[in-house]
Amino acid sequence: MSGFLTENEIEQTVESLINVYKIDRNLLIKFIGTDKYIKLNRMLMDLEVGVMDDYQLARMIVVEKGLFLFAGSNDVVRDLRALLLKQLEGEQLVRLYERNPISNRKIQSPSYMPKALAGKRWVMGGRWARDFVQTLGFPLAFSGISIPKDHSTDPVQDIEPRKSVPPLVEYQQGLKEKMLSVLNKEQEKTRCVVTLPTGGGKTRVAVESFIDWMQPRFNEGQYLLWIAQGEELCEQAISCITEMWQEREFPESLRVYRYFGGKAVKYESLIGGAVISSIQQLYSRIQSDDEALNEILANCGAMIIDEAHHATTKSYEVLFNKCKELAGESLFPICGLTATPGRSNEETMTLVNQFEAYLIHPSLPDMRRYELNPLLYFREEGYLAEPIFLLHENGEEIEVSEYIEDEHDDLSKEFLNDLANNERRNFQIIEYMKSIPLDSSSLVYACTVEHAEFLAMMMNSIGRKSAAISADTPKPIRRMHIAAFKQGDIDFLFNYGVLTTGFDAPKTDHILICRPTSSIILYEQMVGRGLRGEKFGGTEYCKIVDFSKNIKRHGEPLAYARFINDWQIRDVRDISMKMH
């Protein structure tokens, strides 16, 4: 189960709340806040949809809260639970209380039981949660029993040797052979940068190459150190390593160490294997002189740096100095992975020069034809989807030079927040989203967390199932929403700052860029989520809709213009949205 409510469960719940338990409209409004409620209805009026009635409001809240409708300890949720419990028959309420007594309290009068029970600690999947929803006649899903279990909490995992995966395609096999050739020739002096477009399978190629290289070295107690940006990319790497190890049918198991997200690897558990870590955790553990990390670095057999354009930061300088201190000046094989537009751009060459590395890129047939645009090969062969680029210009031109953050050289949070609250722009975004076919799968990049949440609420209010996630979204909820999106249970997945890397939803056919950026790397990461082609389980076409055409920096367009040029997008159209 995806953990997302079915249509029948939504309808049953809304019917019970409105027609059985007569939930007051004012209580429903408290779930979203009066200001948001007013803002939502104002937008609905502009869209000529009309103000939400009680049923529509309740439905929107049920979809928004999902399985967590009755969970939590805030006053609004407690008021809802209390209101529902007050409507139980006296004998039914007493039996419910007797099955779920309040510790250190003896309540005899049924009139005091609803408030006491409403404040009882709610544990998803727990006995009280299950008893509550069953007694009140709501779907059992609200107790939390269908929430997918998290198998990524243990810092150490042993991978057994069994599984079959599709073979590498021709260009991937060629990349692997080049990587192994460099490794066998240079040994511990290997320095290479592997370039492959987003969606081309660079993680798979790197894992397969280095698993073959490291397999005999694992038995000697050595480590493959894989460094990724963020927990999603770390988990993606573990998933790929698991598949590759099992597919190889090696006679022994492989130990994988989760060295990210605050997880601590104990020195006693170290026997060699694959260490998956974030650079943030490595930097922090170096500062604290962590015993386990010292052992890993001293016996490191190879290092892979995913999203290697980050490797020019101070954190990596500290890491490399520590490695030299523990493993010697010659270090060990180091391989950087980066997604590029298929050619040697300046970010890639900076990386190559920094490491004095071999640049490894795919060999393509008919190189003369694809020399200027290698990505044409990946699109023609169906490895990448064909992008249809839609540009929306909404009003007067905006110059953003004064809204640049010096640290990241990108648009400031202040400017993004102003855009997020631009009602005219939001109207145009929502108007376009309404036109997207019902059977589509749309990933939306918002300007802020609040912007993602507002847009999701708007689409839910007009009957298009949506969810919003951010770095603040609890991991179980984030996993549930992503799983529901992949399975087609929701139409729109809104996000801010979390689904640029490490996220795989091959059937995504619409990418909506509501958040402007001057960073070509960030831009390619965003649109890359929808560019997996049919041969890799994706789509033939992907519509990329950008709402930033009129936003300029120094009179020049933002990153989308360079993306269109670098990727030589053949289908670029202007969208003219009419205002009511």
Side-chain angles (χ1 to χ4, degrees):
M1 300 179 72
S2 70
F4 204 80
L5 294 172
T6 66
E7 187 59 35
N8 284 340
E9 288 170 334
I10 293 170
E11 293 292 337
Q12 177 189 340
T13 303
V14 175
E15 173 70 20
S16 294
L17 290 173
I18 298 301
N19 297 324
V20 177
Y21 294 106
K22 312 292 184 184
I23 296 300
D24 182 74
R25 184 180 185 84
N26 290 327
L27 179 57
L28 293 174
I29 292 173
K30 286 181 181 179
F31 268 92
I32 60 176
T34 303
D35 291 343
K36 282 186 179 178
Y37 175 73
I38 294 172
K39 187 177 179 182
L40 280 169
N41 276 309
R42 187 165 60 235
M43 184 66 71
L44 289 170
M45 292 294 287
D46 290 341
L47 292 164
E48 299 184 352
V49 174
V51 176
M52 286 183 287
D53 60 25
D54 289 356
Y55 187 91
Q56 292 169 322
L57 178 58
R59 178 185 170 84
M60 186 198 73
I61 291 168
V62 170
V63 175
E64 284 279 319
K65 298 297 180 182
L67 305 186
F68 294 82
L69 177 65
F70 303 117
S73 58
N74 63 64
D75 291 341
V76 178
V77 172
R78 288 187 177 187
D79 287 347
L80 175 61
R81 294 197 297 241
L83 187 60
L84 294 170
L85 290 167
K86 284 178 183 177
Q87 298 184 57
L88 291 176
E89 296 290 339
E91 187 176 338
Q92 194 178 21
L93 179 60
V94 170
R95 287 201 301 269
L96 179 64
Y97 180 81
E98 288 174 346
R99 294 193 299 270
N100 303 276
I102 309 299
S103 300
N104 302 320
R105 293 183 65 184
K106 292 184 179 180
I107 300 176
Q108 302 295 327
S109 172
S111 62
Y112 291 103
M113 291 177 181
K115 184 176 182 180
L117 286 170
K120 189 175 178 66
R121 183 169 177 262
W122 186 281
V123 178
M124 295 299 283
R127 181 181 297 177
W128 161 234
R130 184 173 182 137
D131 204 352
F132 176 91
V133 299
Q134 285 184 311
T135 300
L136 288 158
F138 290 103
L140 194 56
F142 288 106
S143 69
I145 62 168
S146 64
I147 296 176
K149 301 300 181 184
D150 181 10
H151 298 292
S152 64
T153 55
D154 295 334
V156 177
Q157 171 184 345
D158 291 329
I159 297 174
E160 300 302 328
R162 54 173 175 75
K163 198 169 185 178
S164 178
V165 297
L168 297 175
V169 299
E170 184 177 358
Y171 76 83
Q172 292 174 329
Q173 183 62 37
L175 268 180
K176 176 185 174 182
E177 290 171 1
K178 288 182 181 180
M179 292 175 70
L180 289 175
S181 175
V182 171
L183 280 165
N184 289 325
K185 177 182 177 182
E186 299 292 332
Q187 298 292 320
E188 73 275 1
K189 296 180 181 178
T190 296
R191 304 290 182 268
C192 62
V193 174
V194 177
T195 71
L196 198 59
T198 297
K202 66 181 185 299
T203 300
R204 163 76 191 277
V205 175
V207 166
E208 189 161 328
S209 302
F210 274 85
I211 284 293
D212 286 358
W213 165 262
M214 285 294 302
Q215 189 262 335
R217 294 165 176 81
F218 288 138
N219 291 332
E220 299 170 1
Q222 292 189 18
Y223 300 90
L224 170 63
L225 178 57
W226 186 291
I227 307 174
Q229 300 291 319
E231 295 187 24
E232 280 81 8
L233 275 178
C234 287
E235 288 296 344
Q236 184 184 74
I238 291 174
S239 177
C240 191
I241 290 171
T242 300
E243 289 183 349
M244 288 301 98
W245 188 263
Q246 293 175 334
E247 190 271 341
R248 279 296 188 268
E249 297 184 357
F250 292 128
E252 66 278 350
S253 62
L254 172 67
R255 178 157 292 187
V256 170
Y257 307 84
R258 284 182 171 86
Y259 206 67
F260 55 89
K263 296 180 179 67
V265 174
K266 295 181 179 179
Y267 182 86
E268 298 76 30
S269 68
L270 297 175
I271 59 171
V275 179
I276 316 302
S277 183
S278 64
I279 185 60
Q280 296 85 357
Q281 178 121 335
L282 291 175
Y283 181 79
S284 173
R285 298 285 175 164
I286 289 172
Q287 305 305 309
S288 63
D289 198 29
D290 181 73
E291 182 184 24
L293 178 58
N294 290 344
E295 175 69 13
I296 292 167
L297 297 181
N299 294 283
C300 187
M303 176 189 292
I304 297 179
I305 305 171
D306 199 4
E307 303 294 328
H309 49 272
H310 292 288
T312 56
T313 63
K314 178 185 176 182
S315 298
Y316 278 95
E317 181 182 351
V318 170
L319 172 62
F320 294 141
N321 288 338
K322 189 68 174 180
C323 289
K324 290 176 182 178
E325 174 190 327
L326 296 171
E329 287 292 325
S330 60
L331 292 179
F332 33 71
I334 299 175
C335 177
L337 308 180
T338 183
T340 70
R343 58 182 178 78
S344 301
N345 62 10
E346 69 178 85
E347 289 93 352
T348 302
M349 294 314 298
T350 297
L351 208 58
V352 169
N353 294 333
Q354 177 188 0
F355 290 109
E356 299 180 357
Y358 285 87
L359 177 61
I360 301 177
H361 50 75
S363 297
L364 307 178
D366 195 358
M367 284 301 293
R368 284 187 299 177
R369 180 184 176 205
Y370 298 118
E371 183 176 3
L372 294 178
N373 184 14
L375 289 166
L376 183 62
Y377 167 79
F378 295 99
R379 298 205 293 258
E380 288 182 346
E381 293 298 316
Y383 298 122
L384 295 180
E386 185 69 37
I388 299 173
F389 211 94
L390 307 180
L391 283 171
H392 177 253
E393 185 171 8
N394 62 340
E396 63 180 298
E397 187 171 298
I398 302 173
E399 176 61 51
V400 298
S401 299
E402 67 270 30
Y403 295 104
I404 302 297
E405 285 185 339
D406 292 336
E407 182 181 356
H408 300 103
D409 199 35
D410 202 357
L411 307 187
S412 69
K413 292 181 179 178
E414 177 189 5
F415 178 71
L416 293 177
N417 189 61
D418 287 345
L419 279 185
N421 291 305
N422 187 317
E423 291 191 8
R424 183 174 185 272
R425 188 173 190 264
N426 286 336
F427 171 86
Q428 293 169 328
I429 291 169
I430 295 163
E431 187 84 318
Y432 180 81
M433 289 192 294
K434 284 176 57 186
S435 72
I436 295 177
L438 290 173
D439 58 350
S440 294
S441 183
S442 302
L443 180 61
V444 187
Y445 291 92
C447 295
T448 64
V449 173
E450 294 75 16
H451 192 217
E453 293 172 347
F454 173 73
L455 293 176
M457 290 175 71
M458 279 301 310
M459 296 310 291
N460 278 323
S461 70
I462 59 177
R464 300 295 296 272
K465 286 186 184 177
S466 305
I469 61 176
S470 69
D472 298 326
T473 307
K475 291 179 188 177
I477 300 177
R478 190 191 305 185
R479 285 193 300 270
M480 283 166 43
H481 287 163
I482 290 175
F485 179 70
K486 289 180 179 180
Q487 294 176 18
D489 293 335
I490 56 178
D491 300 328
F492 295 89
L493 184 59
F494 297 84
N495 86 103
Y496 174 74
V498 292
L499 298 182
T500 53
T501 57
F503 169 69
D504 184 25
K507 293 299 182 181
T508 302
D509 53 20
H510 281 73
I511 301 288
L512 274 65
I513 312 293
C514 305
R515 173 222 175 135
T517 179
S518 59
S519 167
I520 185 61
I521 292 174
L522 175 60
Y523 200 87
E524 287 180 358
Q525 288 172 337
M526 289 191 290
V527 300
R529 302 307 103 197
L531 291 180
R532 178 177 290 196
E534 290 184 301
K535 282 190 176 178
F536 286 158
T539 57
E540 181 179 3
Y541 298 97
C542 179
K543 283 189 177 179
I544 301 168
V545 187
D546 193 297
F547 291 87
S548 307
K549 185 180 180 182
N550 66 318
I551 301 174
K552 311 286 183 180
R553 181 180 178 187
H554 303 307
E556 298 294 326
L558 300 182
Y560 73 83
R562 180 173 166 186
F563 175 79
I564 290 172
N565 179 67
D566 287 349
W567 282 64
Q568 295 188 23
I569 306 299
R570 294 175 292 192
D571 193 346
V572 181
R573 311 172 191 173
D574 281 329
I575 307 173
S576 177
M577 300 293 291
K578 294 182 179 179
M579 300 294 292
H580 289 294

